[in-house]
Amino acid sequence: MAAVQTEPSHFSQFWQRPFSIYGGLTCNSLMADSWSDRTPLHDAAYQGRLLTLRTLISQGFHVDTLTMDLVSPLHEACLGGHYACAMFLLENGANVDAVSTDGATPLFNSCSSGSAACVRVLLQHGATLNTPSLLASPIHEAAKQGHTECLDLLLSWGAHADVELPAVGTPLYSACAARAADCAMSLLHSGADVETGCGQDTPLHAAARSGGADIVDLLLDFGADRWSRNPEGKTPLDLSPPNSSVRLVLQKRGPCSLSQLCRFCIRRCLGRSRLHRASSLFLPRSIKDFLLCQ
């Protein structure tokens, strides 16, 4: 109780500092650098101190107080992976789609921290799946960081598995480059195009370059072309290190079996949006599982 009693005077002194309005939101105008202009509200959100957040808001702090880099407390709560703080801020009117100067949204920060709970509550409050920034895409961040649960949530809410960004490529390409095998598997199971990467550089090129033999094997299972050439005219085999496990996988793989080719054909006919309906086809369970790659 003593600690709580001393907070009001400290916070009230801070609250007397001048603030300006940026786009209808409160922004601290005293400090020009991105770290020193953080408010107690930002610190409490990042550290997950819910009681302090409640105290600050009750004392008059604006829920969308911004730093000079347009970072909101909700950004910080999601970056820290604090679901309760994120929920409290949203329930008090925080902007679910606030965008910082580097293009990050709370949803992007949640995918960066790997907090599926924060991802879920943001989506439930109407968070936009697609970011206006080409450098801060939530689905690419989840794939790159290997946060499969966050990735699966985004996909279940309708995120596009094949969205390709300049210099970043597709989520599958990002997962392969980062050797995030589970994310690559989730994307492929959800219908991501195994050949769409970053321009002519395919996911298989990225996996061969990064040394992910397990991902190379997975991509080949889904029909990746071993002989495709990137803008430098190199095949995935050309990019694999000598005597590596990646090279062995690429060299030992023969042509796809007839059953595999049939699966690819049926999955393409169904399309990504209807893959889940394969389970309702009038077929033996084993064949349904084969079509769904289970």
Side-chain angles (χ1 to χ4, degrees):
M1 292 299 294
V4 174
Q5 291 173 355
T6 61
E7 285 183 337
S9 62
H10 172 73
F11 295 142
S12 60
Q13 289 174 10
F14 189 93
W15 184 238
Q16 292 170 5
R17 298 179 182 178
F19 283 78
S20 63
I21 302 298
Y22 187 102
L25 300 176
T26 310
C27 182
N28 186 343
S29 61
L30 275 183
M31 305 296 185
D33 61 279
S34 62
W35 182 257
S36 60
D37 69 341
R38 286 163 54 91
T39 69
L41 201 64
H42 289 84
D43 289 335
Y46 181 70
Q47 295 172 20
R49 293 188 278 119
L50 182 58
L51 179 59
T52 303
L53 272 184
R54 292 181 183 276
T55 302
L56 290 166
I57 296 297
S58 68
Q59 288 182 343
F61 266 76
H62 195 292
V63 70
D64 276 326
T65 300
L66 300 176
T67 67
M68 294 300 291
D69 282 343
L70 308 186
V71 174
S72 70
L74 183 58
H75 275 107
E76 297 286 50
C78 293
L79 189 61
H82 301 300
Y83 162 80
C85 290
M87 173 66 90
F88 174 76
L89 292 167
L90 288 166
E91 289 175 343
N92 281 271
N95 181 6
V96 71
D97 283 327
V99 183
S100 66
T101 54
D102 59 3
T105 60
L107 186 59
F108 175 87
N109 282 2
S110 297
C111 291
S112 182
S113 66
S115 174
C118 285
V119 169
R120 184 178 291 104
V121 74
L122 290 169
L123 292 172
Q124 290 170 345
H125 281 78
T128 302
L129 286 166
N130 302 314
T131 177
S133 170
L134 298 181
L135 299 177
S137 163
I139 190 169
H140 285 79
E141 183 69 5
K144 182 179 71 173
Q145 297 295 340
H147 295 147
T148 312
E149 192 175 356
C150 294
L151 178 66
D152 288 342
L153 271 172
L154 295 174
L155 290 170
S156 69
W157 279 73
H160 198 324
D162 289 327
V163 59
E164 183 177 351
L165 302 180
V168 178
T170 61
L172 179 59
Y173 185 85
S174 297
C176 292
R179 298 182 66 172
D182 288 342
C183 286
M185 184 177 296
S186 284
L187 287 161
L188 288 166
H189 284 182
S190 71
D193 188 342
V194 73
E195 294 297 339
T196 305
C198 189
Q200 289 179 266
D201 208 57
T202 68
L204 190 57
H205 283 98
R209 191 182 294 112
S210 68
D214 53 342
I215 301 181
V216 167
D217 203 34
L218 176 66
L219 293 169
L220 292 173
D221 276 344
F222 277 81
D225 183 3
R226 290 179 297 162
W227 310 114
S228 60
R229 295 185 179 274
N230 66 8
E232 289 73 42
K234 295 183 180 297
T235 66
L237 185 61
D238 295 331
L239 298 175
S240 61
N243 303 318
S244 66
S245 55
V246 168
R247 180 171 286 268
L248 289 174
V249 171
L250 288 167
Q251 288 176 329
K252 288 185 176 181
R253 271 302 188 105
C256 286
S257 65
L258 180 59
S259 60
Q260 282 281 63
L261 293 173
C262 289
R263 178 168 69 175
F264 301 149
C265 182
I266 295 172
R267 285 173 63 89
R268 278 194 297 269
C269 289
L270 284 172
R272 190 175 72 86
S273 63
R274 295 191 296 273
L275 276 177
H276 66 282
R277 299 184 66 179
S279 60
S280 62
L281 294 174
F282 189 66
L283 294 170
R285 180 68 189 179
S286 58
I287 296 180
K288 293 179 186 179
D289 290 344
F290 178 72
L291 291 176
L292 294 169
C293 306
Q294 294 178 346

